[in-house]
Amino acid sequence: MNIGVISMRYARALLAFAKARGTEDKVYDETKRLARVSVTVPQLRHTIDNPVLSMDAKHKLLCDAVGVENVSEELKRFFRLVLEEKREKFLQFMIWSYIDLYREDKHILIGKLTTAVESPKLVKKLEELASACTNGVVELETKVDPSIIGGYIIELAGFRLDASVQNQLKRIRRQFIARNRRIV
């Protein structure tokens, strides 16, 4: 069977179940945490796929991997269902599918913001501005890159705005070189 079909089917079921119980926001936060952990700790997936490990041990490991003290009952039941049906090898895809479905349902756009230093105020302000322009919710994934010297680079909905000092210096350099070529 197709991985995408299975993942979407389970993700849709989780979203419908969470929405029916009014906990889709909490489940979204938990799945984002789990997705982050699965990327940073690739051994988690191999451990969950291990047939020697008991279902209870896998369930506890998944709940611990979410990184919150009280994992929602909906996500716990979802983990139990996935493990009972022996679909754990698709779990990572199911989690990403849930995140995508939730964002689509709530009209959330995801963008990337690169700054030279950490700046929570700038992130908040740009999220507000972008939300107003798109008539939706905008979440910016931030990255700190000191090589841009100052300013920021924002990527959202296929558009990129480079307002970094590094980019401005490159522009000035190109203009300077172009002028000198015309003079000579």
Side-chain angles (χ1 to χ4, degrees), residues 83-98:
L83 294 170
E84 285 172 359
E85 296 296 322
K86 302 200 183 308
R87 300 285 195 187
E88 52 266 34
K89 67 180 177 182
F90 304 119
L91 184 62
Q92 189 174 8
F93 299 106
M94 292 174 195
I95 295 301
W96 283 108
S97 296
Y98 177 84

Side-chain angles (χ1 to χ4, degrees), residues 1-16 78 81 87 93-94 97-98 101:
M1 190 168 240
N2 187 344
I3 292 172
V5 172
I6 293 170
S7 301
M8 276 304 230
R9 201 173 280 162
Y10 276 77
R12 277 192 190 103
L14 176 58
L15 182 60
F78 178 73
L81 173 69
R87 300 285 195 187
F93 299 106
M94 292 174 195
S97 296
Y98 177 84
L101 288 171

Side-chain angles (χ1 to χ4, degrees), residues 10-26:
Y10 276 77
R12 277 192 190 103
L14 176 58
L15 182 60
F17 183 55
K19 281 178 84 171
R21 298 182 116 200
T23 59
E24 69 269 19
D25 298 336
K26 183 175 185 193

Side-chain angles (χ1 to χ4, degrees), residues 106-109 127-138 156:
K106 300 289 184 177
H107 307 292
I108 298 173
L109 287 174
E127 283 178 340
E128 289 171 359
L129 285 170
S131 293
C133 291
T134 60
N135 295 325
V137 178
V138 173
L156 181 65

Side-chain angles (χ1 to χ4, degrees), residues 132-167:
C133 291
T134 60
N135 295 325
V137 178
V138 173
E139 289 181 4
L140 293 175
E141 296 172 356
T142 59
K143 176 184 166 191
V144 175
D145 181 4
S147 71
I148 68 169
I149 304 168
Y152 59 88
I153 302 168
I154 186 168
E155 299 172 52
L156 181 65
F159 294 99
R160 178 184 165 118
L161 172 65
D162 191 339
S164 66
V165 172
Q166 179 187 37
N167 188 47

Side-chain angles (χ1 to χ4, degrees), residues 159-183:
F159 294 99
R160 178 184 165 118
L161 172 65
D162 191 339
S164 66
V165 172
Q166 179 187 37
N167 188 47
Q168 297 300 321
L169 291 172
K170 283 180 187 176
R171 281 183 169 167
I172 293 169
R173 183 171 182 258
R174 280 190 296 238
Q175 289 174 350
F176 180 76
I177 291 170
R179 273 195 198 141
N180 285 339
R181 286 186 183 156
R182 277 187 262 153
I183 294 173

